[in-house]
Amino acid sequence: MSKVIVHSLFSDFDIDLFKSGKHFKLYEKLGSHPMELDGVQGTYFAVWAPTANSVSVVGDFNNWRDLEHPLNVRWDGSGIWEGFIPGIGSGTLYKYNIHSNNFGIVTEKADPFAKYCEHPPKTASVVWDGDYTWKDEKWMDVRGDKNSLDKPYSVYEVHLGSWKRKENNDFLTYSELAEDLVKYVKEMGFTHVEFMPIMEFPFDPSWGYQLTGYFAPTSRFGNPEEFKFLVDKLHQAGVGVILDWVPSHFPEDAHGLGFFDGSHLYEHPDRRRGYHPDWKSLIFNYGRNEVRAFLISNALFWLDQYHVDGLRVDAVASMLYLDYSREEGEWEPNIYGNNENLEAISFIRELNETVYGNFPDVQTIAEESTSFAMVSKPVNIGGLGFGMKWMMGWMHDTLEYFKKEPIYRKHHQNDLTFSMTYAFTENFMLPFSHDEVVYGKQSLLYKMPGDEWQKFANLRLLYSYMFTHPGTNLIFQGGEFAQSSEWNYNQSLDWHLTQYEFHAGIQELIKDLNKIYKSYPALYEKQFSQEGFQWIDYGDAANSVLTYIRKGHKQEDDLIVAANFTPVPREKYRIGVPKSGTLKQVFNSDAKKYGGSGSRKSSVKTEKKSWHGFDDSIEITIPPLGIVIFQ
């Protein structure tokens, strides 16, 4: 086997950018790159290991023997080791053997920039030279409009390993998902899918949130080009793709990023800031330039190489606070004496500025569970710069309300109305995510009180309320047909349930809610603006009724929403309306096709009778545990 030839893809400018933390296309330089050098085919390797005394490439090409193919360290103090090995091509398995200056420690590591990895539990990196021709030009030309904050944004959250499986419980491949999943999402009317982490991860029960291969789509379902094919097919169907992304922590697996070159290279060296007690994982050192460049390069990689339309950033709260999930004495205040992680905040701002600077037609979405201010406001006015933020408070309060027996709900109306006191402080996405249907929390269906009919009626009401509340929406897989059991990452959803009337009814309801959301501008044009919402009456706690107006740019687009949170029909119920005329019913969650008790009057004329501060009013029937929408 030929020995290593001195070669570099780095210019002096590249190195200066890397050292200063401003090189955001490191995936073009670091890692393994099949290429031709002086007429010879082979692969160029480059890895950052500044504490190393020597670095060798080991793999199936040299029987994993150490020191046979040593890389050359650069002279410029960058800590980059590199070299070209002839005869190595796509499909070669490899790792880096790193002999550290630190007490002679030797580590064997997967490539942090590998674009493909062995199928877990195997841990080697794979040299990969895939070629893919995209066919999503139409989508890419218009996605800036489709991803706009004043357009419909309805997200279907998917765990690829459990959405659907084969009869023998094997995974569907990316290519098979490109048929089944794409067709289903299109049919259901969602505008976007959000994939729980698809970057390579070693441990199935982590659901993908403990990453070891940040630049590699997991090999569980196929190779990188097959994942591109799935994204491409979704785009061709007019569906955007959001990836869950985890820059908050990473596992301590021996082949991963931890203690990479015998030093705390990627993680913060102080365990009070570098170790996460909840997840028993390591926390990135956000103050280290090269680590920031690694993470921002990774974000841009998926947007650039995989045409991804958005990144949902996981566990942002754990990044923002030094005392997150820590007791007194387990954390150290910042230079101002408070609990904010200034380095992480700076990193997040730079991340969002860089993402939007390079890809202005995508969205970043924060999964952030605290009241940290201005998460989805621009960096130039002091915000963190995300496009949207998950509305965790709304989710929690709403589910707590719905769990209560209807007879007690009149005492808890504030659980529903409170969200409107802060709904426009951020660009909020309303999530019913995977986190709400695991660890004994029950499925959404079985959180609902009452007999079978009431459980399904409550769930129809919950979803209808969600779609008419300001903000964008996210529903986790299975929720759209009322999966009755908790989510199990290790098996398929219970698709057989869709043969039953009530489950099929929920599925029809979600289809129609997506259709209505996309068809009526009042539900999306001002979804993040106070101008897009007006209470008619939030004070009728005795009847557990809420009435409100959703508004678009044109007054004739306004929608009137009336919601009854009890199983008692509210007949001849009078509400004020902003102008006279005939109101047409455009939606009724109690319709028979959804499993309800039947449709009500399809239109109603206003009367010159002042009510709720309006000159005109209407008298309607609000169905039991139901919502009606009028235009």
Side-chain angles (χ1 to χ4, degrees), residues 157 194 196 207 209 244 312 367 390 392 394-395 399 430-438 441-442 444 447 466 474-477 479 487:
E157 186 188 23
E194 178 182 312
M196 290 168 66
W207 311 335
Y209 289 98
D244 247 350
R312 178 266 195 188
E367 190 257 322
W390 275 21
M392 310 291 276
W394 171 88
M395 177 274 298
L399 290 179
L430 314 181
F432 288 136
S433 75
H434 63 274
D435 276 329
E436 308 321 311
V437 292
V438 288
K441 295 179 186 176
Q442 299 184 301
L444 287 185
K447 293 181 198 292
M466 174 193 200
L474 176 140
I475 295 173
F476 180 56
Q477 64 180 35
W487 170 54

Side-chain angles (χ1 to χ4, degrees), residues 139 143 146-149 152-160 181 185 190-199 209 227 230-232 234-235 238-246 299 302-303 306-314 355-356 361-367 386-390 429-431 472-475:
W139 169 264
R143 76 169 182 175
K146 300 288 188 184
N147 287 328
S148 174
L149 294 176
Y153 210 92
S154 179
V155 181
Y156 186 51
E157 186 188 23
V158 175
H159 177 262
L160 288 179
L181 178 64
V185 172
F190 290 100
T191 65
H192 293 72
V193 293
E194 178 182 312
F195 292 136
M196 290 168 66
I198 55 85
M199 301 82 182
Y209 289 98
F227 180 60
L230 172 57
V231 175
D232 202 352
L234 283 160
H235 283 172
V239 178
V241 178
I242 305 161
L243 296 187
D244 247 350
W245 186 57
V246 191
W302 295 103
L303 300 170
Y306 284 85
H307 290 200
V308 167
D309 306 291
L311 297 171
R312 178 266 195 188
V313 183
D314 182 61
V355 166
Y356 284 114
D361 53 356
V362 305
Q363 291 291 348
T364 60
I365 304 163
E367 190 257 322
F386 287 99
M388 285 179 253
K389 171 182 169 172
W390 275 21
M429 173 178 282
L430 314 181
T472 56
N473 314 299
L474 176 140
I475 295 173

Side-chain angles (χ1 to χ4, degrees), residues 88-143:
I88 291 178
S90 194
T92 300
L93 303 179
Y94 72 100
K95 284 185 179 179
Y96 298 116
N97 262 22
I98 302 170
H99 292 249
S100 177
N101 284 322
N102 189 4
F103 301 110
I105 293 168
V106 180
T107 61
E108 184 177 279
K109 294 291 185 178
D111 189 343
F113 284 84
K115 295 182 176 64
Y116 192 28
C117 302
E118 270 193 302
H119 192 303
K122 296 179 179 178
T123 57
S125 303
V126 183
V127 175
W128 196 252
D129 188 21
D131 186 27
Y132 187 79
T133 302
W134 289 90
K135 298 176 182 175
D136 62 349
E137 298 86 358
K138 287 183 180 177
W139 169 264
M140 298 298 282
D141 287 344
V142 301
R143 76 169 182 175

